[in-house]
Amino acid sequence: MTPSAPPAIPAPSRTGTVPFRGHETWFRVTGDPDALRPDASQAPLVVLHGGPGVAHDYTLAMTALAGDGRAVVHYDQLGCGRSTHLPDADPDFWTVDLFVEELRTVVDHLGIGDRFHLLGQSWGGMLGSEVLLADPHGIASLSICDSPASMPLWLEAAGTLRSRLPEEVQATLLRHEEAGTTDSAEYAAAMQVFYDRHVCRVVPNPPEVTASFAQLEADPTVYHTMNGPSEFHVIGSLKDWSVVDRLPGIAVPTLVVSGAHDEAMPLVWEPFVQRIPDARSHVFAESSHMPHVEEPEWFTAIVGAFLREND
């Protein structure tokens, strides 16, 4: 896919850090800081990035959602990006509950905990559903972007897409996974074939996407611990995660989006639409796992209209 000129990413109006469990969580705000006031006409939007452990940069195209006067909050979850890195932390430290607590700490610090929209991309959508189920207080709506309702479903979809790769690519992936050499350059090159088809079809990737992948390579602690070495070789602590049976407990308006070429195939996100009482969906025809990058104008239009409807 040949990239069109990407929209300019505005400078933040505010940045800072939030104390969290003795560490620091970094955040940025796009738009008028007054839009964080409780009486603002449009509720702020908080963006949960994916991974786990892939810094917020690749979601910065979502700052376009501030174009109608809304404040948009990005933050780097603990362990990645500009937040505190903990490369030697006990694997038991990296839990879903940790990141649910962190989200609440961030919104309370910003004074928006009583009224905000929540958007999660990939792992962020998984986390968003867990946030709602833990405590729905203050959340006006939930947008789930390119996310699975369970990791077993994700692995089923990944197996299907992987089987469609060229045979020599499949053989390379399997050989290194069996040998435990997934850190090799050959494995990375084979993995990129999958990524170019099903993760981001804008090639070369925009700078903000490249920045997130670069920081992941520099410190993959969280990603390797919770996910595994790649999008389709999930052997981390999330490999059995599922929210499917708990979805009827989500009682806020929910938008579920994905790309037609997404690694998040319909089978992984359909439970959100089928089981959340007030849910709708949209598929972006020219996108894979990053419609906000691949079809930014359509993404902003679809998600922006949903947010305005639920302000």
Side-chain angles (χ1 to χ4, degrees):
M1 181 176 178
T2 303
S4 57
I9 294 172
S13 56
R14 177 183 173 189
T15 62
T17 58
V18 180
F20 176 60
R21 291 198 182 187
H23 306 295
E24 299 288 336
T25 297
W26 179 93
F27 70 87
R28 64 167 276 161
V29 179
T30 304
D32 187 344
D34 284 344
L36 295 176
R37 293 167 54 94
D39 59 353
S41 60
Q42 295 170 303
L45 172 67
V46 179
V47 177
L48 301 173
H49 65 70
V54 179
H56 81 285
D57 304 68
Y58 80 96
T59 64
L60 281 172
M62 296 181 189
T63 55
L65 292 164
D68 59 5
R70 186 184 313 281
V72 176
V73 178
H74 285 80
Y75 70 95
D76 283 332
Q77 295 161 27
L78 194 65
C80 74
R82 296 161 183 80
S83 295
T84 304
H85 287 237
L86 300 165
D88 299 321
D90 187 323
D92 291 339
F93 179 81
W94 303 110
T95 64
V96 171
D97 289 345
L98 169 78
F99 293 109
V100 170
E101 179 186 345
E102 182 183 35
L103 176 278
R104 285 295 177 182
T105 301
V106 170
V107 297
D108 288 346
H109 177 88
L110 293 173
I112 62 174
D114 290 333
R115 179 172 173 258
F116 64 100
H117 297 285
L118 189 61
L119 182 155
Q121 198 280 331
S122 196
W123 146 252
M126 298 161 61
L127 176 58
S129 66
E130 292 280 11
V131 169
L132 260 298
L133 290 165
D135 179 8
H137 174 75
I139 302 175
S141 75
L142 173 64
S143 296
I144 297 173
C145 305
D146 321 286
S147 306
S150 88
M151 289 306 281
L153 289 174
W154 178 269
L155 287 169
E156 181 181 344
T160 297
L161 295 175
R162 182 166 162 161
S163 71
R164 299 172 183 171
L165 296 173
E167 290 186 4
E168 64 275 14
V169 173
Q170 295 183 53
T172 299
L173 294 171
L174 182 60
R175 182 171 67 254
H176 286 288
E177 288 163 2
E178 289 179 341
T181 53
T182 54
D183 57 351
S184 73
E186 188 179 37
Y187 185 84
M191 185 173 66
Q192 193 63 44
V193 176
F194 182 95
Y195 281 41
D196 289 348
R197 291 186 179 194
H198 302 299
V199 178
C200 184
R201 289 162 64 87
V202 178
V203 179
N205 294 163
E208 67 273 17
V209 176
T210 301
S212 285
F213 284 142
Q215 78 81 37
L216 174 61
E217 183 177 0
D219 183 1
T221 301
V222 184
Y223 186 75
H224 283 181
T225 301
M226 298 184 73
N227 183 84
S230 72
E231 294 292 279
F232 46 78
H233 189 48
V234 179
I235 55 176
S237 60
L238 287 174
K239 68 181 183 300
D240 297 319
W241 176 88
S242 176
V243 75
V244 171
D245 291 340
R246 294 178 284 145
L247 290 175
I250 295 178
V252 302
T254 300
L255 174 65
V256 181
V257 305
S258 70
H261 307 281
D262 206 327
E263 58 181 333
M265 296 176 71
L267 72 97
V268 313
W269 54 259
E270 284 174 344
F272 290 124
V273 181
Q274 295 164 350
R275 291 174 176 257
I276 295 175
D278 185 8
R280 68 190 75 171
S281 64
H282 182 86
V283 176
F284 294 93
E286 301 300 325
S287 295
S288 60
H289 198 52
M290 299 186 188
H292 60 281
V293 172
E294 297 161 295
E295 295 181 75
E297 292 183 0
W298 275 113
F299 182 90
T300 301
I302 296 296
V303 177
F306 173 73
L307 298 177
R308 288 188 292 273
E309 181 182 334
N310 292 289
D311 277 324

